[in-house]
Amino acid sequence: MAGPDVPPVFTLAYVPGVTPGKWTRAWEERTPESPITLLQVPAADAADLIRDHRADAALLRLPIDRAGLHAIPLYTETTVVVAPKDHLITAADEVSTTDFADSVVLHPLDDTLDWEQLPGKPAVERPATTGDAIELVAAGVGLLVVPQSLARLHHRRDLTFRPVVDAPESRVALSWLEDETTEAVERFIGIVRGRTENSTRGRPPTPPKPAAERKTPTKTASRPKPTQTAKRGKPRRRS
């Protein structure tokens, strides 16, 4: 059974492109009494899922509305431009936004990149999702700039991608309610931060042994030092 501070089920939400597998496996090994449930949610809904207590924590992309939430940045993703394999920009290993300034660049409604100014030319309509935008790229309508994990998630044989050196980057973070840093959340924080199972942070200290069980070290009696005898010299020969 789960302990008093660990829920019967730990619910973790995550946004598309994020792969929580290694962390959930570690949770299952360390906390078998509290199974983990995964919920994949649209990026725009992840923070509200925590606020509504439908998830204990979430792996999401920054920036978000941080009101009432903690967020620990975990890693930063490379930003890439997705294009048909025969597009001119695929000739380079990496590109800048000026390289496709004259191209139509799709901006889906679920975009999580924090643009100061959108690159390229706007499309007639904004696609509803990144998946819809990928289909339009394949149809030759325009290009798409996304975190690399989303480009891989929506991989197609007729499309490829290149890193964009001057685009905003996507940071993936672990988030939970500010006033509810529970024992379960502490355990998961320890896992994503790479702490070992024997780490004491977030776990109750080991109680001291009762006085009766403590062993008093026995003093060893000192042995007297052996008496040193004077060295006898060699007998002299009589002349």
Side-chain angles (χ1 to χ4, degrees):
M1 294 177 65
D5 295 324
V6 180
V9 176
F10 183 74
T11 303
L12 177 69
Y14 68 101
V15 298
V18 174
T19 53
K22 63 178 180 180
W23 297 318
T24 58
R25 286 192 294 272
W27 173 275
E28 290 167 349
E29 291 171 2
R30 299 183 190 185
T31 317
E33 73 276 14
S34 178
I36 191 166
T37 296
L38 296 177
L39 294 176
Q40 188 180 79
V41 296
D45 298 342
D48 287 338
L49 209 71
I50 305 171
R51 292 190 180 97
D52 295 341
H53 293 87
R54 287 179 287 161
D56 297 292
L59 295 167
L60 42 69
R61 286 193 174 86
L62 301 178
I64 58 169
D65 177 8
R66 296 280 288 269
L69 298 177
H70 280 303
I72 300 175
L74 302 178
Y75 59 90
T76 301
E77 288 193 74
T78 300
T79 302
V80 300
V81 57
V82 182
K85 283 190 172 181
D86 57 356
H87 197 280
L88 289 175
I89 66 169
T90 62
D93 292 333
E94 58 184 26
V95 299
S96 69
T97 53
T98 58
D99 293 325
F100 48 87
D102 295 329
S103 300
V104 171
V105 177
L106 301 162
H107 185 215
L109 295 174
D110 62 356
D111 180 32
T112 58
L113 295 174
D114 191 18
W115 293 101
E116 290 185 6
Q117 183 176 356
L118 293 171
K121 297 179 179 179
V124 176
E125 293 182 3
R126 292 183 64 182
T129 66
T130 297
D132 294 335
I134 290 287
E135 296 298 324
L136 293 174
V137 174
V141 174
L143 307 178
L144 175 64
V145 183
V146 290
Q148 183 170 291
S149 65
L150 288 179
R152 288 175 171 167
L153 178 66
H154 298 283
H155 171 71
R156 289 176 52 119
R157 292 185 178 181
D158 52 347
L159 301 180
T160 189
F161 57 83
R162 293 291 184 270
V164 184
V165 296
D166 58 346
E169 295 175 320
S170 173
R171 290 185 300 158
V172 173
L174 174 67
S175 183
W176 69 97
L177 279 175
E178 201 168 50
D179 298 330
E180 296 188 19
T181 306
T182 62
E183 171 70 14
V185 170
E186 281 283 7
R187 289 191 188 190
F188 197 76
I189 292 170
I191 288 172
V192 299
R193 283 186 161 175
R195 293 200 291 264
T196 63
E197 187 174 1
N198 295 326
S199 172
T200 57
R201 179 166 181 175
R203 299 176 63 179
T206 303
K209 290 184 177 181
E213 295 183 15
R214 296 175 189 164
K215 292 183 179 180
T216 304
T218 305
K219 291 186 178 180
T220 304
S222 57
R223 295 180 180 179
K225 294 183 179 179
T227 304
Q228 293 183 351
T229 57
K231 291 183 179 180
R232 300 175 61 184
K234 294 181 180 180
R236 294 182 180 179
R237 293 182 179 182
R238 295 180 180 178
S239 55

